[in-house]
Amino acid sequence: MMDRTTYDGVRKAALADPEEFWAARARVGLHWFSPFRTTLEWQAPFARWFADGTTNACYNCLDRHLTGWRKNKAALIWEGEEYQQRILTYQELHRRVVQFAAALRGLGYGQGDRAILYLPMIPEAAVAMLACARLGIIHSVVFAGFSAEALRTRIDDLGATLAITADAGRRRGRIVPLKKNLDDALSECPGVRHSIVYRHTGAEIEMRERRDLEWADLVAGAEAECPAVPVPSEHPLFVLYTSGTTGKPKGVVHSTAGYLVQVQATMEWVFDLRDDDTYWCTADIGWVTGHSYIIYGPLAMGATTVMYEGAPDWPRPDRFWEIIAKYRVNVFYTSPTAIRSFIRQGDEHPNRHDLSSLRLLGSVGEPINPSAWNWYNTVIGKSRCPIVDTWWQTETGSILLSPSPGAVETKPGSATLPLPGIDAAIFNLKGEPVPDGQQGYLVLRKPWPSMLRGLYGDPERYRENYWSRYPGVYFTGDAAHRDSDGYFWVLGRVDDVINVSGHRMSTMEVESVMVRHPAVAEAAAVGRPDELKGQALVVFATLKGGATPTPALGEELRQWVGQEIGGFARPEEVRMVDGLPKTRSGKIMRRLLRELVTNRHVAGDTTTLEDFSVLAKLSASDEDE
Ligand code: 7RM
């Protein structure tokens, strides 16, 4: 932990010479098989970091910890949905990874091959990722909640020849038929030579001869030795698909060395991780947060990382708090959407458990509204744990805006300051920095080591999506403003900004006010094209238990927002609904709601939507009117 003056000194020096700053970090942070001499080759928008060095992500996450006392430290603490527990030390995790990598090598897979991983939140997911990394196989984890069709398009785009799955996963007591979904996908993917199946639940599955292989048989027959393969720094570690504005998912490519250097550095700056900490990030490994902050970041640090298989409210709403108490978790990293659902369930659930081990709380995924921030701070953190609101993207690879605890005073709702080496700014449409307090587009003016290297197989789309609005400058797609203390306030995606009669407001601002009303659990604000006002504000709201949706309450909520923000923000309409459509990672899909209020039906891509019935209900009630 640094004080503010020291920290500002680091940030200043880093910005004065980012290349030297990152080079120094890379030299001490990673094990190099052969050292790099050039730090950055930048031919915008294509960056190469530490390109003439060789390293290996798996070696950095495991092997290098085995020579000292950490060999018997818990690397991974796993809690199953049915309360099973597995604790793997660094030594034990290493042993399993080596075995599995040897098996993959035995099947003929190696550097540059692509593997699809379609796995539940179990230790074997970590084993499979690290085994691929060990051999230079590029992995792409597909979230276990995705359908066979979504899986197929990703396998196809990636040209994967290997698939790794489990018989099934568990979710809220139900079985998710992973192997069956993979079979359906593979019926149209002739390029996949093998699918390896880990027996997790014992669900009945079909095994196709020659193509399908049992994980257990493979490791039993594998050679005992399998050294990590030194790969060039720029060798892709993984590809992760993320949704863009069109229907086709984008395959975000991440490098080996630059990625690892920066996830490791941010673990230190943001989470202030200590060797005796138990650290828990609740994300799924199917999302970038799971890659960077459950697997690669913590393991590169030699930390103890917790992985939980199931849902936050299964079998009871206090499952997370139970886990924190059970493992004495010190650092806890979750999302605003999870926090809002905890608020809805009531304080009695966390209050039943001993949360005194917590030292630091984190948030990621969306702007966190101040009322959720305050709840997190008081009910979970007992007003003694700093909250790090971390802004970043699948594309950025690691956290770029966040307080560094101890050094940076927090403000509820702000991701505060750019981390060392990050040149963030807010631009207007013309590409000029806007004055403090004025809203604009969040951009990054200099390349950073963990930035995406491209979109798999589509350099044009990469250029077009991120680098065409301001040449040589990375466009985040987020709207933000900076206050007079230099703090960044990210308001959300650019298309989440609503303009009513020339008054710009963010969906977040309106939603924050809505959820402060005692009857409201969650809210989503969208704009509907309006001849007079440009856009009219429509707010969808779910209610807390006990509240009844009546026209009188709708009117009260309209007045409430008007009263709290100003008359211009009084919604045209407040629609009380059973649930909001969300992506599988919990982000509210405002785009769908916007389409719903604009066209009265939804035609866009819905492959990332979690619960289709929510959307069906919203449209049905629309037709009832
Ligand atoms: C890590 C992750 C990225 C988008 C990003 C923002 C939003 C994420 C915050 C946030 C405000 C935050 N990757 N976002 N974190 N907005 N404050 N702390 O979420 O690729 O799935 O999403 O998420 O809009 O552009 S992601």
Side-chain angles (χ1 to χ4, degrees):
M1 228 199 277
M2 285 177 255
D3 62 21
R4 178 66 193 259
T5 315
T6 315
Y7 184 63
D8 281 347
V10 172
R11 291 175 64 234
K12 201 166 164 215
L15 273 193
D17 191 352
E19 286 189 42
E20 189 36 47
F21 174 76
W22 289 118
R25 220 28 250 198
R27 275 184 219 110
V28 297
L30 292 196
H31 169 87
W32 295 91
F33 291 103
S34 47
F36 62 91
R37 269 167 302 263
T38 57
T39 301
L40 172 66
E41 294 160 39
W42 176 228
Q43 283 181 324
F46 299 99
R48 290 161 55 80
W49 285 90
F50 321 119
D52 56 351
T54 63
T55 185
N56 181 285
C58 179
Y59 187 96
N60 279 285
C61 288
L62 299 176
D63 303 57
R64 66 166 162 167
H65 304 312
L66 302 185
T67 52
W69 68 271
R70 283 198 191 88
K71 68 179 188 292
N72 292 320
K73 176 176 176 175
L76 188 65
I77 296 180
W78 178 76
E79 166 98 357
E81 193 177 80
E82 299 182 333
Y83 290 88
Q84 316 91 301
Q85 176 182 301
R86 290 169 66 190
I87 299 181
L88 303 185
T89 61
Y90 272 93
Q91 187 91 69
E92 181 59 18
L93 182 57
H94 176 264
R95 198 177 62 80
R96 285 168 192 261
V97 168
V98 166
Q99 273 181 338
F100 191 62
L104 297 181
R105 188 187 54 192
L107 291 170
Y109 295 98
Q111 191 170 335
D113 289 333
R114 275 91 58 211
I116 286 279
L117 276 49
Y118 186 56
L119 288 160
M121 286 285 285
I122 54 176
E124 282 65 29
V127 172
M129 289 164 78
L130 292 163
C132 286
R134 195 167 188 81
L135 299 176
I137 300 170
I138 303 163
H139 64 66
S140 184
V141 179
V142 175
F143 174 55
F146 274 127
S147 64
E149 176 55 20
L151 185 56
R152 188 192 60 74
T153 58
R154 286 157 176 77
I155 294 173
D156 217 41
D157 189 74
L158 194 65
T161 51
L162 171 65
I164 303 171
T165 191
D167 51 3
R170 286 195 189 90
R171 188 78 181 170
R172 296 201 170 89
R174 285 201 307 266
I175 289 292
V176 185
L178 298 178
K179 172 64 164 69
K180 169 74 173 60
N181 291 347
L182 180 63
D183 287 345
D184 291 348
L186 290 190
S187 67
E188 288 169 62
C189 300
V192 173
R193 287 192 283 122
H194 295 107
S195 67
I196 300 174
V197 185
Y198 180 76
R199 298 279 177 169
H200 176 49
T201 65
E204 221 169 286
I205 52 171
E206 276 173 37
M207 292 292 279
R208 201 170 103 176
E209 222 165 323
R210 284 202 296 278
R211 185 195 70 187
D212 297 349
L213 305 166
E214 298 279 353
W215 177 300
D217 295 349
L218 278 177
V219 296
E223 290 177 55
E225 298 275 305
C226 188
V229 175
V231 298
S233 294
E234 282 295 313
H235 181 67
L237 178 59
F238 64 85
V239 174
L240 191 58
Y241 285 87
T242 183
S243 48
T245 43
T246 70
K248 190 176 181 283
K250 305 185 279 196
V252 170
V253 181
H254 280 290
S255 71
T256 297
Y259 171 79
L260 208 58
V261 165
Q262 204 169 344
V263 291
Q264 185 181 320
T266 52
M267 279 305 297
E268 209 178 295
W269 298 329
V270 175
F271 298 111
D272 181 31
L273 217 60
R274 303 169 196 173
D275 242 324
D276 56 357
D277 274 337
T278 302
Y279 161 90
W280 183 22
C281 165
T282 69
D284 192 283
I285 40 127
W287 308 112
V288 72
T289 310
H291 285 60
S292 300
Y293 296 107
I294 298 178
I295 309 291
Y296 289 111
L299 297 180
M301 289 279 282
T304 298
T305 180
V306 175
M307 182 191 253
Y308 168 54
E309 177 185 25
D313 55 355
W314 187 264
R316 285 179 299 274
D318 61 348
R319 189 65 194 270
F320 271 17
W321 321 124
E322 203 172 53
I323 293 173
I324 289 174
K326 178 174 177 184
Y327 297 108
R328 309 292 299 151
V329 170
N330 308 102
V331 178
F332 179 63
Y333 189 29
T334 194
S335 64
T337 187
I339 294 167
R340 288 193 301 265
S341 77
F342 300 140
I343 297 174
R344 187 177 192 177
Q345 286 150 3
D347 297 2
E348 63 272 24
H349 303 294
N351 287 347
R352 239 196 324 274
H353 296 277
D354 176 6
L355 306 181
S356 62
S357 58
L358 290 173
R359 192 187 79 233
L360 186 70
L361 303 174
S363 169
V364 61
E366 287 172 88
I368 179 167
N369 43 289
S371 68
W373 196 100
N374 287 326
W375 182 89
Y376 199 27
N377 181 41
T378 53
V379 179
I380 305 305
K382 315 290 179 203
S383 305
R384 49 166 195 80
C385 304
I387 295 179
V388 288
D389 177 356
T390 64
W391 177 91
W392 58 297
Q393 308 177 301
T394 305
E395 291 87 344
T396 69
S398 65
I399 299 167
L400 301 193
L401 304 182
S402 168
S404 187
V408 179
E409 204 77 51
T410 58
K411 297 186 191 183
S414 169
T416 74
L417 304 175
L419 289 172
I422 300 306
D423 186 12
I426 297 170
F427 276 11
N428 64 16
L429 279 169
K430 285 185 257 168
E432 302 150 349
V434 301
D436 283 347
Q438 204 165 306
Q439 191 175 305
Y441 299 121
L442 178 64
V443 299
L444 302 161
R445 287 185 291 207
K446 287 200 183 71
W448 63 102
S450 70
M451 67 188 267
L452 78 167
R453 297 304 194 260
L455 296 176
Y456 194 79
D458 203 346
E460 244 342 282
R461 192 175 180 197
Y462 168 66
R463 193 191 290 277
E464 168 62 30
N465 251 271
Y466 306 104
W467 304 91
S468 62
R469 190 173 293 229
Y470 309 115
V473 171
Y474 176 85
F475 176 65
T476 65
D478 280 345
H481 65 86
R482 191 167 53 191
D483 68 18
S484 51
D485 293 327
Y487 279 42
F488 284 74
W489 298 76
V490 177
L491 301 161
R493 305 297 300 173
V494 168
D495 49 11
D496 288 345
V497 174
I498 307 171
N499 191 327
V500 180
S501 307
H503 295 284
R504 295 186 70 134
M505 62 191 109
S506 79
T507 55
M508 144 134 200
E509 207 179 338
V510 174
E511 290 160 13
S512 285
V513 168
M514 281 290 288
V515 300
R516 280 212 320 266
H517 188 282
V520 176
E522 204 165 22
V526 295
R528 171 171 63 204
D530 184 285
E531 284 202 356
L532 273 181
K533 304 173 180 167
Q535 277 181 307
L537 178 60
V538 180
V539 185
F540 291 81
T542 60
L543 301 182
K544 283 191 184 145
T548 320
T550 59
L553 178 58
E555 184 55 25
E556 183 182 325
L557 293 173
R558 286 185 61 237
Q559 299 304 339
W560 166 255
V561 178
Q563 174 196 319
E564 293 295 302
I565 304 180
F568 66 90
R570 189 181 311 113
E572 184 93 281
E573 209 186 320
V574 171
R575 289 165 65 161
M576 291 161 283
V577 290
D578 279 347
L580 296 171
K582 291 188 182 172
T583 65
R584 288 156 205 268
S585 64
K587 294 194 207 312
I588 296 171
M589 295 186 81
R590 294 186 184 77
R591 176 172 60 76
L592 297 186
L593 296 173
R594 200 160 40 236
E595 273 186 57
L596 191 73
V597 297
T598 308
N599 309 326
R600 308 213 130 214
H601 71 276
V602 176
D605 170 52
T606 55
T607 56
T608 54
L609 194 62
E610 191 185 16
D611 186 358
F612 285 91
S613 64
V614 168
L615 192 59
K617 272 192 199 160
L618 290 171
S619 334
S621 66
D622 198 74
E623 272 145 30
D624 287 342
E625 282 175 6

